[in-house]
Amino acid sequence: MWPSCSFLLMSALLIKRLVAERCPRICLCDSIKYQVMCLNRNITEIPNNIPQVTQRLDLRGNDIKIIPAGAFFPIPYLTHLNLQKCKIESIEEGAFRGLGRLLYLNLASNNIAFIYQESLDGLSSLQQLILENNRIEEIKPGAFGQLGFLSFLNLARNALVYLPDMVFQGLQSIKWINLSHNSLHVLASEAFGGLPTLRRLSLDHNELQFLPTEALSKLSGTNRLDIGHNPITYIVEEGIEMASLKQLFLDNMFLQDVSHRAFVRSPLLHTLDLTNNQLFVLQPLTDMAHLKKINLTGNPVLCTCRMRPFKEWAAKGRIHADVICAAPAAFKGEQLESLRTSAMKCSSHVIQEELLPSLATVTRKPEEDAVLCPKGCTCSPDYQHGNCDNRNLQHIPKGFPSNTQLLDLRYNQFHSIPKGSFPGLKNLTSLHLQNCKIVILQPGAFQDLKNLVYLYLSNNDISSIDADVFKGIPQLAYLYLDHNRFNQMTKGAFTFLPNLFSLHLQYNSISQLSDDDLVGIGNTRWLYLSGNRIVHVSPKALSHVKLLEKLHLDENSLQEVPTKSLRGLLMLSELKLSKNPIKYIGDGAFLPVARSLQHLYLDNMGLEQISTGAFSGLGPKIKSLYLEKNKIHNLPDLSSFTALDVINLSNIPFHCDCQLLPLRKWLDKLNLRVGATCSSPAEMRGKKLKLISTFQRCPGWSTKKVKRLSSTKAKVGRDDNKRSRKKKTGEARKH
Ligand SMILES: *[C@@H]1O[C@H](CO)[C@@H](O)[C@H](O)[C@H]1NC(C)=O
Ligand SMILES: *[C@@H]1O[C@H](CO)[C@@H](O)[C@H](O)[C@H]1NC(C)=O
Ligand SMILES: *[C@@H]1O[C@H](CO)[C@@H](O)[C@H](O)[C@H]1NC(C)=O
Ligand SMILES: *[C@@H]1O[C@H](CO)[C@@H](O)[C@H](O)[C@H]1NC(C)=O
Ligand SMILES: *[C@@H]1O[C@H](CO)[C@@H](O)[C@H](O)[C@H]1NC(C)=O
């Protein structure tokens, strides 16, 4: 026993020493807890000299942007990894491979937009994954497939709109999923399939207009559901079918009506929160043997004879009902429980008249024509969706329920959309007609769709649009015409779209933008024209879209920056000109938009020269500048670019002589990964511009700097490490 004990002691000491010796200079290492902290150090890469035995690594508040594949191979014993607020944009496939012991991973408050299927590979022990406060718009089914031990998944505060079927597949041990504060609008009926262990689901603060009854019914083991703060107006009979549900939060919605049979399929319900809705009256709820608490505060409850049945029911079932009366005046502010039933009367004419108009809306029942649905299609009354995608249809089916909000007709073969194809669908907001071999849109095709907001016509064969095609859809905000066959825009094609916000015309064959192409869409903010053949943008073409924020003109045939066309675009913040054959950028090329521009893409252009005044006016507003893959040898003065988050200078053939000294000095201060390498002179080829010492010989290299540099060089070794270690242990004690 002794020998093994002392052996343990010895190896523990050894490990401690290793920890102490290999602590990265900018970090604090606690060798007892095997913990390394490098908080707010502007680190741009995962430090490569973290002690191998580290178990807890805290990198909060750095500047890491990309987590490359295998980034953590050198530290395989990690159990806790905190990467909050690191400006992470992308997690490469296999980024976390090798972290088979990790239990806790915090990626909150970054800029992550996608979770790829292999991004989370290798995290076979992970229990908690925190992705709160990122920009995730979409999750592909299978993304979490490897996380068989995950018990807590936090996706709150992202930009999710839609959850596809089986999106959480593989989470075999999951207990709680938090989806609060997204923009969820649609949940596929099998979105929560395969989650028998889920106990708690948070869907509050989203944009659900209807209870996703079917999707939720798959959660047979869930006992708490938070779905408050969604714009839901009524709950129908059997609206919640969750066999194990005990606590249900339906607060802060727009509820005007709750069916007395709404929860009969959730017989274990114990607590029901209905606070802050629009309920005047609630009927006794049927079959609620386990209900103990119901909260109706913040509703305009009428404590008249109409609430008597509820009061009697609550008293009989010993249900604690928190209900504060809003009317009649005599009972205003009183607890319903404290009233005598006999005093709750309906005789007062005044009250009746006062409240009749609003009561009328209370008694209105939801549409009952939901059974109606064209043959071969499926219509879901709960979400008010119609679905006939991929059915080999040649004609648009008719006879959808009149309350349909989303219609999915993708992958059919319509060829032409005749006038009045969607009669009576006044509430349709989203129409999907992608991949339908459409050649012709006839005038008036969409004429009845008064409330249409999203129109998807991507991947068809449309080559022109008659001026009257978009008549009658004044609410349209998002129009997708990408991947079609436009050579040019029809004059005034968009005249009838005053509320258009986002126009997608990428990947067509448009060769120029003429004066009147964009007339009528003065509220458009995003214009996508990537992947066309544009050689010319007329100086007036963009004057009709003065509120433009994003302009994508990349992958076209422009030979110069269309400066004149940018005049008057005072809100433009993102301009993409990548992959245009622009060889030269002259003085003041971006002046018209210099006050607003934040993201500028000039990469992959074959650019040979940028004049010294090319960026004049641009400065502290610019957050990203992409210049990679060009043929320039030098850059104009960038010292006014003080707020950059991203600058890409890779694949530029820099000639590394003293001429580049100002650039090098600027880069030294910048503290960003830029990727600049030298291409000439020959002996410098491939070397990182930030690391070469050539510049020390140039006039203007400050003497102070030379000294510091050479002294660090000399001491990269024990002395330096010892000193910093001493300092660090001191700091660690303080904490
Ligand atoms: C990190 O960068 C910010 C802004 O450039 C600066 O204010 C801060 O002092 C830097 N922190 C460290 C530890 O270098
Ligand atoms: C889910 O995340 C939100 C947003 O951060 C948070 O406010 C909420 O408390 C979490 N939900 C629960 C039930 O804790
Ligand atoms: C009912 O909700 C209100 C508002 O949220 C709260 O103040 C009150 O304590 C709740 N009542 C009960 C009995 O939980
Ligand atoms: C359409 O929506 C409005 C507002 O939500 C509603 O009042 C109306 O009844 C709906 N119409 C149909 C036909 O469902
Ligand atoms: C620059 O762009 C190249 C090519 O797109 C990319 O591989 C590289 O990671 C980028 N570098 C930086 C520092 O952003």
Side-chain angles (χ1 to χ4, degrees):
M1 205 181 160
W2 273 110
S4 75
C5 222
S6 61
F7 170 74
L8 275 182
L9 199 74
M10 253 175 64
S11 43
L13 285 175
L14 195 75
I15 287 166
K16 262 189 210 171
R17 248 181 54 210
L18 278 173
V19 172
E21 268 173 20
R22 294 192 50 209
C23 190
R25 284 215 246 152
I26 43 177
C27 303
L28 293 178
C29 297
D30 180 329
S31 54
I32 295 164
K33 295 187 192 147
Y34 303 119
Q35 181 170 342
V36 175
M37 307 215 297
C38 327
L39 304 189
N40 306 313
R41 305 311 301 234
N42 300 339
I43 298 173
T44 57
E45 284 167 11
I46 313 289
N48 58 8
N49 51 348
I50 291 172
Q52 190 190 16
V53 294
T54 305
Q55 293 177 358
R56 289 170 181 257
L57 176 58
D58 193 342
L59 289 167
R60 267 175 293 171
N62 284 293
D63 204 352
I64 294 176
K65 302 226 164 66
I66 297 171
I67 308 191
F72 299 96
F73 275 147
I75 35 177
Y77 297 103
L78 280 189
T79 57
H80 291 70
L81 175 57
N82 197 334
L83 289 163
Q84 272 186 80
K85 299 194 186 162
C86 281
K87 302 187 188 159
I88 298 169
E89 285 168 11
S90 129
I91 302 176
E92 287 184 2
E93 295 182 354
F96 299 112
R97 259 183 219 140
L99 293 183
R101 296 167 198 234
L102 199 68
L103 304 174
Y104 171 91
L105 174 58
N106 195 334
L107 288 163
S109 303
N110 283 293
N111 294 319
I112 302 166
F114 294 100
I115 301 287
Y116 301 102
Q117 201 155 344
E118 281 84 20
S119 295
L120 302 170
D121 262 14
L123 297 170
S124 52
S125 305
L126 197 66
Q127 294 177 0
Q128 294 193 38
L129 174 58
I130 301 164
L131 285 162
E132 185 170 337
N133 201 16
N134 275 283
R135 296 190 296 133
I136 303 171
E137 287 173 22
E138 199 183 334
I139 305 171
K140 292 261 159 52
F144 304 116
Q146 312 288 324
L147 307 179
F149 284 98
L150 200 70
S151 62
F152 173 47
L153 173 61
N154 190 344
L155 282 163
R157 296 181 197 278
N158 276 284
L160 293 168
V161 177
Y162 169 71
L163 292 182
D165 283 335
M166 303 307 284
V167 58
F168 299 115
Q169 193 172 25
L171 297 176
Q172 290 163 18
S173 315
I174 193 78
K175 292 286 184 316
W176 178 27
I177 299 179
N178 191 343
L179 289 161
S180 315
H181 293 273
N182 277 280
S183 305
L184 287 171
H185 195 75
V186 179
L187 310 182
S189 59
E190 295 288 335
F192 300 124
L195 297 173
T197 58
L198 193 74
R199 293 292 169 264
R200 182 169 173 182
L201 177 64
S202 306
L203 279 170
D204 53 288
H205 295 86
N206 274 287
E207 287 169 25
L208 298 167
Q209 294 179 16
F210 304 94
L211 272 182
T213 307
E214 202 182 342
L216 293 172
S217 71
K218 306 296 183 309
L219 295 170
S220 55
T222 302
N223 46 45
R224 176 170 171 155
L225 173 65
D226 297 78
I227 197 169
H229 291 272
N230 277 287
I232 298 177
T233 50
Y234 54 80
I235 302 190
V236 296
E237 193 172 321
E238 304 185 7
I240 299 264
E241 295 180 26
M242 297 172 74
S244 307
L245 194 66
K246 292 186 178 150
Q247 292 172 291
L248 175 58
F249 292 82
L250 296 168
D251 55 299
N252 295 282
M253 314 219 277
F254 301 107
L255 290 179
Q256 298 174 2
D257 191 20
V258 174
S259 160
H260 67 101
R261 294 180 46 81
F263 313 111
V264 289
R265 302 290 297 272
S266 307
L268 299 183
L269 199 61
H270 177 281
T271 303
L272 176 59
D273 189 338
L274 287 165
T275 52
N276 300 322
N277 280 292
Q278 305 293 323
L279 296 165
F280 292 97
V281 176
L282 192 66
Q283 299 302 316
L285 300 173
T286 306
D287 288 343
M288 296 274 85
H290 289 84
L291 196 67
K292 284 286 160 275
K293 274 185 175 179
I294 181 166
N295 198 338
L296 275 165
T297 53
N299 283 278
V301 177
L302 296 177
C303 294
T304 63
C305 67
R306 305 171 117 262
M307 277 301 276
R308 267 191 215 160
F310 175 89
K311 182 170 154 62
E312 286 163 358
W313 165 77
K316 194 161 160 238
R318 296 174 182 269
I319 298 166
H320 177 57
D322 198 348
V323 185
I324 295 169
C325 304
F331 299 150
K332 197 165 176 210
E334 300 269 349
Q335 275 283 352
L336 178 71
E337 260 176 343
S338 70
L339 302 182
R340 275 182 303 120
T341 318
S342 58
M344 294 167 62
K345 295 201 172 104
C346 281
S347 54
S348 162
H349 295 290
V350 188
I351 296 164
Q352 291 287 341
E353 275 159 28
E354 247 177 39
L355 291 162
L356 257 181
S358 20
L359 278 174
T361 67
V362 175
T363 49
R364 183 180 53 80
K365 282 278 176 279
E367 288 297 319
E368 261 153 25
D369 63 352
V371 276
L372 221 118
C373 191
K375 219 172 144 208
C377 302
T378 51
C379 299
S380 153
D382 292 333
Y383 329 126
Q384 310 190 332
H385 286 184
N387 205 314
C388 333
D389 64 313
N390 210 355
R391 311 277 157 106
N392 216 357
L393 299 172
Q394 321 257 325
H395 304 284
I396 308 265
K398 299 231 164 73
F400 292 98
S402 59
N403 61 356
T404 304
Q405 295 208 339
L406 184 150
L407 195 52
D408 185 350
L409 295 165
R410 287 172 301 164
Y411 295 99
N412 283 294
Q413 297 172 29
F414 298 129
H415 301 284
S416 163
I417 309 290
K419 181 172 176 177
S421 284
F422 307 94
L425 298 181
K426 293 202 167 52
N427 280 7
L428 197 71
T429 51
S430 185
L431 177 57
H432 293 256
L433 286 164
Q434 301 96 316
N435 299 84
C436 283
K437 302 204 160 65
I438 300 168
V439 182
I440 297 171
L441 302 171
Q442 295 188 8
F446 309 105
Q447 64 189 9
D448 295 309
L449 306 177
K450 290 192 170 48
N451 284 303
L452 195 67
V453 177
Y454 304 91
L455 176 55
Y456 298 87
L457 288 161
S458 316
N459 292 296
N460 281 295
D461 300 318
I462 308 166
S463 57
S464 73
I465 288 187
D466 192 280
D468 287 344
V469 164
F470 297 128
K471 215 169 175 174
I473 44 172
Q475 300 301 329
L476 197 73
Y478 297 83
L479 177 57
Y480 292 81
L481 288 165
D482 52 292
H483 297 88
N484 273 285
R485 295 175 183 249
F486 294 101
N487 300 317
Q488 55 176 48
M489 297 317 307
T490 323
K491 268 205 175 76
F494 307 118
T495 319
F496 296 105
L497 301 176
N499 289 309
L500 199 66
F501 185 91
S502 175
L503 177 57
H504 293 254
L505 282 165
Q506 66 272 31
Y507 301 101
N508 279 285
S509 313
I510 300 168
S511 58
Q512 61 168 340
L513 280 189
S514 318
D515 282 0
D516 297 330
D517 286 351
L518 301 171
V519 167
I521 47 172
N523 278 312
T524 301
R525 309 295 160 97
W526 303 341
L527 179 55
Y528 300 92
L529 285 161
S530 317
N532 278 283
R533 299 181 188 160
I534 300 173
V535 282
H536 178 68
V537 181
S538 101
K540 277 196 201 151
L542 300 173
S543 66
H544 306 291
V545 284
K546 286 218 162 68
L547 300 180
L548 221 53
E549 292 168 2
K550 267 189 208 176
L551 176 59
H552 288 191
L553 281 166
D554 47 309
E555 294 187 58
N556 275 292
S557 305
L558 294 169
Q559 298 196 1
E560 53 183 34
V561 178
T563 307
K564 283 183 192 154
S565 319
L566 299 175
R567 278 186 201 147
L569 300 184
L570 299 179
M571 317 279 274
L572 197 72
S573 76
E574 181 171 310
L575 178 60
K576 270 200 186 183
L577 291 167
S578 322
K579 298 192 184 169
N580 277 284
I582 300 176
K583 293 204 171 118
Y584 170 74
I585 300 183
D587 288 346
F590 305 100
L591 259 181
V593 290
R595 281 168 168 238
S596 56
L597 205 62
Q598 296 182 20
H599 309 281
L600 181 56
Y601 293 76
L602 298 170
D603 52 290
N604 290 280
M605 301 206 306
L607 197 58
E608 287 167 7
Q609 203 192 339
I610 305 185
S611 82
T612 47
F615 293 148
S616 64
L618 300 177
K621 276 247 152 170
I622 295 281
K623 296 203 175 123
S624 35
L625 179 60
Y626 297 86
L627 280 162
E628 69 269 20
K629 282 214 174 152
N630 279 304
K631 296 187 183 151
I632 38 184
H633 303 284
N634 197 347
L635 286 174
D637 178 19
L638 294 173
S639 59
S640 59
F641 288 67
T642 51
L644 284 171
D645 287 332
V646 182
I647 176 168
N648 197 330
L649 302 177
S650 66
N651 275 299
I652 295 177
F654 285 111
H655 181 65
C656 293
D657 62 8
C658 288
Q659 256 193 79
L660 277 198
L661 180 62
L663 179 63
R664 162 64 186 262
K665 282 181 151 177
W666 182 74
L667 289 178
D668 277 346
K669 276 187 270 163
L670 188 64
N671 211 349
L672 284 179
R673 210 168 80 165
V674 299
T677 52
C678 305
S679 141
S680 56
E683 68 273 20
M684 293 293 153
R685 199 180 189 93
K687 298 215 167 120
K688 287 191 173 163
L689 205 140
K690 257 170 116 167
L691 299 180
I692 54 172
S693 51
T694 320
F695 299 109
Q696 293 171 28
R697 295 191 294 270
C698 298
W701 181 265
S702 82
T703 45
K704 215 165 144 198
K705 187 131 201 179
V706 176
K707 221 165 148 193
R708 190 179 66 87
L709 207 106
S710 55
S711 76
T712 15
K713 273 252 167 78
K715 281 192 185 167
V716 175
R718 256 167 254 132
D719 285 3
D720 217 39
N721 273 352
K722 229 187 259 163
R723 182 159 46 85
S724 68
R725 197 190 326 151
K726 220 184 255 167
K727 197 166 137 227
K728 243 135 249 172
T729 37
E731 273 175 44
R733 248 181 246 126
K734 250 188 285 164
H735 282 274

